Structure formats: structure tokens, C-alpha cells
Amino acid sequence: EPEVTQTPSHQVTQMGQEVILRCVPISNHLYFYWYRQILGQKVEFLVSFYNNEISEKSEIFDDQFSVERPDGSNFTLKIRSTKLEDSAMYFCASNSQGALYEQYFGPGTRLTVT
Amino acid sequence: AQTVTQSQPEMSVQEAETVTLSCTYDTSESDYYLFWYKQPPSRQMILVIRQEAYKQQNATENRFSVNFQKAAKSFSLKISDSQLGDAAMYFCAYTGANSKLTFGKGITLSVRP
């Protein structure tokens, strides 16, 4: 069964450094999402992406964040200058039909900012 | 804005027994989906069950079923014949026209052998 993959599984970085989290969505999916979960807290929406542009973003998704689909398979989340509070689990998700349909989640990338 | 509320932070159930996890939501939309996701210690998000708002019939998936009360905006998950592998964090989630998922705070379910 096709699945969403994410790399790396765990990333440790120093405050102020740039990180890129990578996702490979399911191949025929057209809608892509990033979510964040700070340890012990709920999962929060960051951004949705369709047709090579951002569809919606949350208040969390400020100028430090950017997303890109550099080729036909990868979907990346970049944090330009990481802060301690960016430490969280980051989940990528995708679906084929956008609104009102279930999203398929990747296994997540645990980001630790020291 | 849509909100999802899970007021119970944790619950415990005896193996083989039945447990119900509560969830309420608030929305002004008429067309939406509701989900329950399971998050084991690995932190992978696993879809357990989904319910389309336009369907009156409650969704079932093997040992998992929901009680969807649209007028009351309530969406509870019933787990029958609980197994040790059911122990996890469970999140209730909502999606509407803007496609993003809105999650509740989650509930930690423990299963006693």
C-alpha cells in the first residue's frame, strides 16, 4: 500500500540554523500539508499546498517557514533560523482530493533545537 | 472558526472491555468530515475511523464504531473488546471546506491486562 515517507526521522540542530524537512507524498496525491506537534500537545496545522502554491497557512507559519515542491515527488518544509520553540514533531500529509477527505500522514520528523 | 474539544485527558479500560472516548466540535459548516486518529508511542498518526457529516449512519470499522450526533455536535469513539495494542493517544479531528485538519487535545488510553 502506498504511503507518505519523511526524512530524516530525527534532526538535531542548533538554534539559528536552517533546517529542511523532506516528505515524499503518495504519488497520485495533489494536496499536501504540514502539521506540527509539540511534545505532549495537540497536532497543529501549519500550511496546505496545492498546484505549486500555498492554499492556506496558520499563524504559526511565519516568515521563518517556507514550503516547496522542488520536483515531482518531494515536498519540503524549510525553517530559516530555528528557535528552541520549534522543537516538535513535524508531520507531512497528503490527499488526492483536498477538502473533505482524509489525509494520509507520514511517520513524522522529530526536530530538536538546542 | 472550527473547534474540537476532547475534555477527558486520559482513560483506562480493562482488556476485553468496551470504552467510549468523547469528542465535541463546533462549526457553522454543513458539509464536513470527522476522524479519529490513533497515535501510539512511535508517534505515527494512524487513521482509525471517519464519518461524513451527511451520512446519518454511524461509521464502524471492526471493533471501532462512532456515535455521531450531528445536532449535538458530538462524535464519540467506541472501542469494543479492547486489546493491549489499543493503548495510545487518540485524537478527534475535523475537516471542512478549507481542507485543513483541526485536532482536539487528545486522550491517552491505557489498557489494563
Side-chain angles (χ1 to χ4, degrees):
Chain A
E1 187 177 326
E3 56 185 26
V4 177
T5 59
Q6 289 185 243
T7 54
S9 57
H10 189 194
Q11 172 98 44
V12 181
T13 189
Q14 288 192 324
M15 196 167 52
Q17 295 296 305
E18 174 184 286
V19 294
I20 297 176
L21 309 183
R22 301 180 194 281
C23 168
V24 179
I26 293 172
S27 63
N28 64 342
H29 285 185
L30 302 174
Y31 298 82
F32 313 114
Y33 310 85
W34 282 102
Y35 293 85
R36 179 181 85 174
Q37 185 185 31
I38 294 171
L39 185 64
Q41 298 187 23
K42 69 176 177 180
V43 180
E44 300 173 291
F45 168 78
L46 289 178
V47 66
S48 57
F49 190 86
Y50 169 71
N51 200 26
N52 280 320
E53 59 183 34
I54 290 173
S55 308
E56 185 174 356
K57 58 184 180 180
S58 71
E59 292 174 354
I60 303 167
F61 194 89
D62 61 21
D63 292 343
Q64 293 299 314
F65 291 89
S66 62
V67 289
E68 195 177 36
R69 190 158 158 81
D71 54 42
S73 58
N74 288 285
F75 178 50
T76 62
L77 174 69
K78 182 194 290 187
I79 309 175
R80 256 179 279 282
S81 177
T82 50
K83 305 176 193 137
L84 293 176
E85 53 265 37
D86 292 328
S87 294
M89 196 78 165
Y90 288 82
F91 292 101
C92 173
S94 69
N95 67 5
S96 58
Q97 294 173 286
L100 299 172
Y101 287 89
E102 68 191 79
Q103 295 173 21
Y104 294 82
F105 280 77
T109 292
R110 195 200 312 180
L111 176 65
T112 303
V113 182
T114 61
Chain B
Q2 295 77 29
T3 59
V4 177
T5 302
Q6 293 178 256
S7 54
Q8 308 155 303
E10 50 188 59
M11 286 196 75
S12 179
V13 63
Q14 189 77 36
E15 196 176 3
E17 298 291 305
T18 295
V19 64
T20 298
L21 311 182
S22 301
C23 172
T24 59
Y25 61 95
D26 192 24
T27 183
S28 58
E29 295 181 305
S30 58
D31 202 8
Y32 52 88
Y33 274 38
L34 295 163
F35 305 93
W36 279 96
Y37 279 90
K38 173 184 178 181
Q39 188 180 45
S42 67
R43 299 187 74 182
Q44 168 88 50
M45 296 292 286
I46 302 165
L47 179 67
V48 175
I49 199 164
R50 68 174 178 273
Q51 174 78 46
E52 296 92 328
Y54 66 86
K55 288 188 177 178
Q56 291 188 335
Q57 189 172 8
N58 288 324
T60 62
E61 197 73 43
N62 300 315
R63 298 182 294 108
F64 299 87
S65 61
V66 299
N67 183 4
F68 174 48
Q69 302 288 327
K70 191 171 183 179
K73 295 193 171 95
S74 168
F75 182 61
S76 60
L77 174 69
K78 186 170 85 170
I79 307 174
S80 304
D81 185 26
S82 297
Q83 300 174 0
L84 295 177
D86 294 333
M89 191 90 164
Y90 286 82
F91 291 95
C92 179
Y94 169 104
T95 187
N98 65 6
S99 85
K100 71 177 185 183
L101 280 169
T102 300
F103 286 86
K105 288 185 177 180
I107 179 170
T108 301
L109 177 67
S110 58
V111 181
R112 305 185 302 273

